[in-house]
Amino acid sequence: MKLSRALIPASLLTSFSIAHGQQAAIQQLQNMQQQQLSMPQPELRTGTNAPELYTGENEDIGPQHVLRVGTSEAPRRRYFDGQLDTQIFYTDNANYSGSHERVSSWVFVNTVQAAFAPDPFNLGPGKFAPALGFSSQWYNYTDNRMSPLDFDAQTAFANLRYLLGYWQFGVGVNYTRLLSQDGYNSTYDEWLPNMDVQRIIPVTTATAFIIGDAMSYHFSEVPQLLLPTLPPSFAPARSDINDHFDNTAYVTFNWQPTAHLTVQPFYRFQYSNYKNATVPGSIRNDYLNAFGITLIYNFNQYISARAFYSYTTKSSDDALSPSYDEMNGGVGATLEIKF
């Protein structure tokens, strides 16, 4: 027999509301992480020289400027990378709910990141690029129904990347925790070991496809305070309810019509398998499809601006994890300094 909501104490309803909002925050963070996969990695900068396809090619047709894949030597080795990023976008489903309960909102995301990230150096036939750093993000909603759920995301990361011609191979681990902005209490923690492979396929001197696949596993923990004592039909009872495996395949078309402007339409498919479903004894497999486009304008090597749009659909085998669709679009700007 299902317990009537009218019989649930108000304190437990409040706790359930917090837990539901925490799930939206987790989804927002993970969607942001996955969205970054469809963007070129740090050593795939636009506006710089692409590698020669054969010895002496640049002497025949001049230097090309589609992508740089780590084959050119920097005049002075740099070891540290600092980034400031800000973006605002509108989403028609900020709480990632079904069609009857969705909340639209503008979302502000501000990021500060610092890393020890030396320029790639020769190692065997390719180049090696390690990175060790920390980033902090602030997520703020404009809709009053979502603004109590404003949160911060703090991430420490260590990544190793190997560049071999048009190939990139990466392995790393991240530690992330989510904090409520009201009281700065921890609402979610996860360890994220990950690995990926990426391939650039040049088409013309100004266009290329970037295809890749990334795998990761989320070792997560929800504080016991956010796990109310309710039947399974109302809330999870396990602190590791969000543990899951992700496999993400993506393809991006990179078009550089000018030395400063880059256009990047993309498609991304993500399969997620959860260790524990919210209903005991059931299974949970999630399927996410996303496509969109990003326009990036590089003013110089330090400052860039972008406009973006994406549409995402997600379905799940878990009866308590609603399928949803979400559209968002907005603008952003980045300041990056390497020294």
Side-chain angles (χ1 to χ4, degrees):
M1 178 182 297
K2 292 186 178 180
L3 183 65
S4 170
R5 289 182 68 101
L7 301 179
I8 302 174
S11 60
L12 293 185
L13 282 177
T14 300
S15 183
F16 174 65
S17 176
I18 293 173
H20 179 73
Q22 175 252 6
Q23 292 296 323
I26 294 172
Q27 188 67 65
Q28 178 66 75
L29 172 71
Q30 293 179 356
N31 282 7
M32 184 72 68
Q33 293 171 336
Q34 295 298 329
Q35 181 179 347
Q36 294 172 350
L37 284 176
S38 58
M39 302 287 288
Q41 297 293 339
E43 281 307 304
L44 300 179
R45 302 297 188 190
T46 56
T48 54
N49 287 347
E52 293 185 326
L53 297 180
Y54 58 87
T55 303
E57 177 193 19
N58 286 344
E59 298 177 2
D60 296 337
I61 60 176
Q64 308 306 300
H65 58 272
V66 182
L67 301 167
R68 184 185 74 206
V69 293
T71 58
S72 58
E73 296 291 340
R76 180 174 62 86
R77 179 163 293 280
R78 299 164 298 179
Y79 294 91
F80 299 95
D81 179 272
Q83 294 183 27
L84 298 175
D85 186 271
T86 184
Q87 72 177 32
I88 177 174
F89 62 91
Y90 175 84
T91 171
D92 67 349
N93 195 357
N95 57 337
Y96 300 102
S97 293
S99 59
H100 300 298
E101 301 176 353
R102 58 201 301 154
V103 176
S104 59
S105 179
W106 288 92
V107 186
F108 292 89
V109 183
N110 294 296
T111 305
V112 176
Q113 178 173 302
F116 173 71
D119 287 330
F121 56 87
N122 293 326
L123 182 65
K127 286 182 176 289
F128 181 63
L132 177 67
F134 178 83
S135 69
S136 183
Q137 293 183 309
W138 296 265
Y139 291 77
N140 297 91
Y141 303 90
T142 59
D143 190 280
N144 291 333
R145 292 167 291 180
M146 293 295 297
S147 56
L149 303 176
D150 292 348
F151 68 96
D152 295 357
Q154 298 178 343
T155 301
F157 59 89
N159 300 315
L160 303 176
R161 190 161 297 278
Y162 192 71
L163 316 172
L164 183 62
Y166 289 106
W167 289 91
Q168 286 199 47
F169 305 90
V171 62
V173 61
N174 299 352
Y175 170 73
T176 299
R177 65 173 185 167
L178 302 187
L179 303 168
S180 65
Q181 292 187 7
D182 182 12
Y184 235 62
N185 299 311
S186 177
T187 62
Y188 176 76
D189 297 86
E190 76 168 18
W191 286 93
L192 183 69
N194 57 86
M195 60 186 300
D196 67 271
V197 60
Q198 184 171 267
R199 174 71 160 92
I200 305 168
I201 304 175
V203 179
T204 70
T205 58
T207 59
F209 282 100
I210 302 169
I211 60 174
D213 188 85
M215 292 184 292
S216 60
Y217 193 89
H218 301 255
F219 293 95
S220 66
E221 181 176 3
V222 178
Q224 291 294 326
L225 180 64
L226 298 183
L227 298 175
T229 309
L230 293 175
S233 58
F234 281 90
R238 302 181 58 106
S239 62
D240 61 351
I241 191 67
N242 293 293
D243 282 15
H244 67 280
F245 165 79
D246 283 340
N247 185 48
T248 304
Y250 59 92
V251 58
T252 299
F253 183 69
N254 196 92
W255 173 41
Q256 189 172 348
T258 74
H260 295 278
L261 178 65
T262 304
V263 182
Q264 292 179 336
F266 70 88
Y267 169 74
R268 182 173 71 252
F269 172 76
Q270 178 182 316
Y271 165 72
S272 301
N273 176 258
Y274 281 73
K275 174 184 175 182
N276 303 294
T278 56
V279 178
S282 64
I283 62 172
R284 179 177 177 184
N285 295 297
D286 289 1
Y287 307 90
L288 182 146
N289 288 274
F291 64 87
I293 187 169
T294 303
L295 280 70
I296 306 172
Y297 190 85
N298 293 279
F299 294 93
N300 50 47
Q301 61 180 319
Y302 306 110
I303 302 174
S304 64
R306 63 188 180 278
F308 54 91
Y309 166 86
S310 68
Y311 178 76
T312 302
T313 63
K314 184 176 182 179
S315 59
S316 177
D317 294 333
D318 190 342
L320 296 184
S321 300
S323 299
Y324 70 82
D325 65 280
E326 185 250 355
M327 177 277 296
N328 71 64
V331 295
T334 301
L335 170 66
E336 179 178 18
I337 298 177
K338 294 180 70 73
F339 58 94

